[in-house]
Amino acid sequence: MRLASVASDMRSGPRITLDGVELVARVPSVMERWVEDYVTVKGLPSGILGAVSDMYIRLIPTDLNWQPSLEAAAAAVAYVAGLFSGPDDAVESVDYEFYDQVTLIDAGENTSQITCSRCDGDIELGWLYDLIEENGQSFIDLDVTVPCCGEVASLDMLHYDWPVGFARFEVSAMNPTRAEYELDAQELADMAGIVGHPVTQVLAHY
């Protein structure tokens, strides 16, 4: 019998490597570019390593260093799961994640443009992807030298055309479905009350 395919969640799936490259716990948008380059270099048919599209609601504290208790994190997961428990609602999974360092909470394909907070110049997405490849998703210091004007700017102060975030904690809902997709103001307030700190949401597409 021949193995036809393997599917894995690039954010949190089981450990998988391809030619020595870790495919899991990486920024999906970065890995998509790597896959495209790999297919081209190897001369493989287009789509042979194609990714399955997933949607996420990623909830993070507004203070990028703040973390809740384990009990509050578990309660937040239960609350978010309950938001998608109606008769016509669904969610594939809801999980929490603690990070040792401040981590990019990216929006995947939803982000298409970055603008400098220093000079208002455009910054190519490839620059951010390269930065992530060098440093991983976590950062000790968010201050970087931007390519447009050579000034130092904080990654969380750059202007993204689709909101991203930086945090040491998140609750993520994978492939949620309901009439009102994202959390409304009251639900965000309820979530803040559960974890003990104001939260915001990043809507991601991978």
Side-chain angles (χ1 to χ4, degrees), residues 113-124 127 144-155 157-160:
Q113 184 178 6
I114 306 173
T115 304
C116 179
S117 56
R118 292 289 191 178
C119 69
D120 292 328
D122 291 337
I123 299 175
E124 292 187 2
W127 170 80
V144 296
T145 300
V146 290
C148 46
C149 59
E151 296 290 334
V152 174
S154 180
L155 286 171
M157 297 303 292
L158 299 178
H159 306 305
Y160 304 87

Short mmCIF file of all heavy atoms in Angstrom, two decimals, residues 113-124 127 144-155 157-160:
data_model
loop_
_atom_site.label_atom_id
_atom_site.label_comp_id
_atom_site.label_asym_id
_atom_site.label_seq_id
_atom_site.Cartn_x
_atom_site.Cartn_y
_atom_site.Cartn_z
N GLN A 113 -0.37 44.03 3.26
CA GLN A 113 0.43 45.25 3.15
C GLN A 113 0.86 45.72 4.54
O GLN A 113 0.11 45.63 5.51
CB GLN A 113 -0.37 46.37 2.46
CG GLN A 113 0.42 47.65 2.24
CD GLN A 113 -0.39 48.71 1.52
OE1 GLN A 113 -1.59 48.53 1.28
NE2 GLN A 113 0.25 49.80 1.15
N ILE A 114 2.10 46.22 4.62
CA ILE A 114 2.63 46.81 5.85
C ILE A 114 3.12 48.20 5.52
O ILE A 114 3.78 48.42 4.49
CB ILE A 114 3.80 45.98 6.42
CG1 ILE A 114 3.38 44.52 6.62
CG2 ILE A 114 4.28 46.57 7.74
CD1 ILE A 114 4.53 43.61 7.01
N THR A 115 2.81 49.16 6.38
CA THR A 115 3.25 50.54 6.18
C THR A 115 4.09 50.96 7.38
O THR A 115 3.75 50.67 8.53
CB THR A 115 2.06 51.49 6.03
OG1 THR A 115 1.23 51.04 4.95
CG2 THR A 115 2.54 52.91 5.72
N CYS A 116 5.19 51.65 7.12
CA CYS A 116 6.12 52.09 8.16
C CYS A 116 5.48 53.14 9.06
O CYS A 116 4.84 54.07 8.58
CB CYS A 116 7.39 52.63 7.52
SG CYS A 116 8.62 53.22 8.71
N SER A 117 5.70 53.00 10.36
CA SER A 117 5.19 53.98 11.31
C SER A 117 6.09 55.20 11.40
O SER A 117 5.72 56.21 11.99
CB SER A 117 5.06 53.34 12.70
OG SER A 117 6.30 52.79 13.12
N ARG A 118 7.26 55.13 10.78
CA ARG A 118 8.20 56.25 10.80
C ARG A 118 8.05 57.17 9.59
O ARG A 118 8.02 58.39 9.72
CB ARG A 118 9.64 55.70 10.85
CG ARG A 118 10.01 55.01 12.14
CD ARG A 118 10.14 55.99 13.29
NE ARG A 118 10.74 55.38 14.45
CZ ARG A 118 10.99 56.02 15.58
NH1 ARG A 118 10.72 57.30 15.67
NH2 ARG A 118 11.53 55.39 16.61
N CYS A 119 7.98 56.56 8.39
CA CYS A 119 7.98 57.37 7.18
C CYS A 119 6.76 57.15 6.30
O CYS A 119 6.64 57.77 5.23
CB CYS A 119 9.24 57.11 6.36
SG CYS A 119 9.30 55.45 5.62
N ASP A 120 5.85 56.29 6.72
CA ASP A 120 4.65 55.93 5.95
C ASP A 120 4.97 55.22 4.64
O ASP A 120 4.12 55.12 3.75
CB ASP A 120 3.78 57.18 5.66
CG ASP A 120 3.16 57.75 6.92
OD1 ASP A 120 2.86 56.96 7.83
OD2 ASP A 120 2.99 58.98 7.00
N GLY A 121 6.19 54.75 4.49
CA GLY A 121 6.55 54.00 3.29
C GLY A 121 6.06 52.57 3.36
O GLY A 121 5.82 52.01 4.44
N ASP A 122 5.89 51.97 2.20
CA ASP A 122 5.45 50.58 2.12
C ASP A 122 6.60 49.63 2.46
O ASP A 122 7.75 49.85 2.06
CB ASP A 122 4.92 50.25 0.73
CG ASP A 122 3.60 50.97 0.43
OD1 ASP A 122 2.90 51.34 1.40
OD2 ASP A 122 3.28 51.15 -0.75
N ILE A 123 6.29 48.57 3.18
CA ILE A 123 7.25 47.53 3.51
C ILE A 123 6.74 46.22 2.94
O ILE A 123 5.61 45.82 3.19
CB ILE A 123 7.41 47.39 5.04
CG1 ILE A 123 7.93 48.71 5.63
CG2 ILE A 123 8.36 46.25 5.38
CD1 ILE A 123 8.01 48.70 7.16
N GLU A 124 7.56 45.55 2.15
CA GLU A 124 7.14 44.30 1.53
C GLU A 124 6.95 43.22 2.58
O GLU A 124 7.70 43.13 3.56
CB GLU A 124 8.17 43.84 0.50
CG GLU A 124 8.26 44.74 -0.73
CD GLU A 124 9.17 44.14 -1.78
OE1 GLU A 124 9.68 43.01 -1.56
OE2 GLU A 124 9.37 44.78 -2.83
N TRP A 127 9.90 41.03 3.66
CA TRP A 127 10.82 41.49 4.70
C TRP A 127 10.41 40.92 6.05
O TRP A 127 11.24 40.44 6.83
CB TRP A 127 10.83 43.01 4.75
CG TRP A 127 11.56 43.57 5.94
CD1 TRP A 127 12.91 43.73 6.08
CD2 TRP A 127 10.98 44.01 7.17
NE1 TRP A 127 13.21 44.26 7.32
CE2 TRP A 127 12.04 44.44 8.00
CE3 TRP A 127 9.67 44.11 7.64
CZ2 TRP A 127 11.82 44.94 9.29
CZ3 TRP A 127 9.45 44.61 8.92
CH2 TRP A 127 10.51 45.02 9.73
N VAL A 144 13.17 47.00 15.47
CA VAL A 144 13.91 46.54 14.29
C VAL A 144 14.23 47.74 13.40
O VAL A 144 13.58 48.79 13.50
CB VAL A 144 13.09 45.51 13.47
CG1 VAL A 144 12.85 44.25 14.27
CG2 VAL A 144 11.76 46.11 13.01
N THR A 145 15.21 47.57 12.54
CA THR A 145 15.52 48.59 11.54
C THR A 145 14.68 48.31 10.30
O THR A 145 14.82 47.24 9.69
CB THR A 145 17.01 48.58 11.19
OG1 THR A 145 17.79 48.83 12.36
CG2 THR A 145 17.32 49.66 10.14
N VAL A 146 13.82 49.25 9.94
CA VAL A 146 12.92 49.02 8.82
C VAL A 146 13.65 49.33 7.50
O VAL A 146 14.51 50.21 7.45
CB VAL A 146 11.65 49.89 8.95
CG1 VAL A 146 10.78 49.37 10.08
CG2 VAL A 146 11.99 51.35 9.17
N PRO A 147 13.29 48.60 6.43
CA PRO A 147 14.05 48.73 5.17
C PRO A 147 13.74 49.99 4.38
O PRO A 147 14.54 50.40 3.54
CB PRO A 147 13.61 47.48 4.39
CG PRO A 147 12.23 47.20 4.90
CD PRO A 147 12.26 47.56 6.36
N CYS A 148 12.59 50.61 4.64
CA CYS A 148 12.17 51.75 3.81
C CYS A 148 12.97 53.01 4.10
O CYS A 148 13.34 53.75 3.17
CB CYS A 148 10.68 52.00 4.00
SG CYS A 148 10.16 51.98 5.73
N CYS A 149 13.24 53.29 5.38
CA CYS A 149 13.91 54.54 5.73
C CYS A 149 15.13 54.33 6.62
O CYS A 149 15.83 55.29 6.96
CB CYS A 149 12.94 55.51 6.40
SG CYS A 149 12.20 54.85 7.93
N GLY A 150 15.38 53.08 7.03
CA GLY A 150 16.54 52.80 7.85
C GLY A 150 16.40 53.19 9.31
O GLY A 150 17.37 53.10 10.07
N GLU A 151 15.20 53.62 9.71
CA GLU A 151 14.97 54.00 11.10
C GLU A 151 14.61 52.77 11.93
O GLU A 151 14.27 51.71 11.40
CB GLU A 151 13.83 55.02 11.17
CG GLU A 151 14.13 56.35 10.50
CD GLU A 151 15.17 57.16 11.25
OE1 GLU A 151 15.30 56.97 12.48
OE2 GLU A 151 15.87 57.97 10.61
N VAL A 152 14.68 52.93 13.25
CA VAL A 152 14.29 51.86 14.16
C VAL A 152 12.83 52.04 14.53
O VAL A 152 12.39 53.14 14.90
CB VAL A 152 15.16 51.86 15.44
CG1 VAL A 152 14.64 50.83 16.44
CG2 VAL A 152 16.62 51.59 15.09
N ALA A 153 12.05 50.98 14.38
CA ALA A 153 10.63 51.01 14.71
C ALA A 153 10.25 49.71 15.40
O ALA A 153 10.88 48.68 15.20
CB ALA A 153 9.79 51.21 13.45
N SER A 154 9.22 49.78 16.21
CA SER A 154 8.74 48.59 16.89
C SER A 154 7.76 47.83 15.99
O SER A 154 6.91 48.44 15.34
CB SER A 154 8.04 48.96 18.20
OG SER A 154 7.58 47.81 18.87
N LEU A 155 7.91 46.52 15.94
CA LEU A 155 7.06 45.71 15.06
C LEU A 155 5.57 45.91 15.37
O LEU A 155 4.74 45.87 14.47
CB LEU A 155 7.42 44.23 15.20
CG LEU A 155 8.72 43.79 14.54
CD1 LEU A 155 9.05 42.35 14.94
CD2 LEU A 155 8.62 43.91 13.03
N MET A 157 4.16 48.56 16.26
CA MET A 157 3.72 49.91 15.90
C MET A 157 3.63 50.11 14.39
O MET A 157 3.16 51.14 13.93
CB MET A 157 4.66 50.95 16.51
CG MET A 157 4.67 50.95 18.03
SD MET A 157 3.02 51.20 18.75
CE MET A 157 2.71 52.91 18.25
N LEU A 158 4.10 49.14 13.61
CA LEU A 158 3.93 49.23 12.16
C LEU A 158 2.45 49.12 11.83
O LEU A 158 1.65 48.59 12.60
CB LEU A 158 4.71 48.11 11.46
CG LEU A 158 6.23 48.10 11.67
CD1 LEU A 158 6.85 46.91 10.95
CD2 LEU A 158 6.85 49.41 11.20
N HIS A 159 2.07 49.63 10.66
CA HIS A 159 0.66 49.63 10.27
C HIS A 159 0.39 48.46 9.32
O HIS A 159 0.96 48.39 8.23
CB HIS A 159 0.31 50.96 9.58
CG HIS A 159 0.66 52.17 10.39
ND1 HIS A 159 0.20 52.36 11.67
CD2 HIS A 159 1.44 53.25 10.10
CE1 HIS A 159 0.67 53.50 12.15
NE2 HIS A 159 1.43 54.06 11.22
N TYR A 160 -0.44 47.53 9.77
CA TYR A 160 -0.81 46.35 8.98
C TYR A 160 -2.22 46.56 8.44
O TYR A 160 -3.12 46.96 9.17
CB TYR A 160 -0.75 45.10 9.85
CG TYR A 160 0.59 44.87 10.52
CD1 TYR A 160 0.89 45.47 11.74
CD2 TYR A 160 1.55 44.07 9.92
CE1 TYR A 160 2.12 45.27 12.36
CE2 TYR A 160 2.79 43.87 10.53
CZ TYR A 160 3.07 44.47 11.74
OH TYR A 160 4.29 44.27 12.35
#
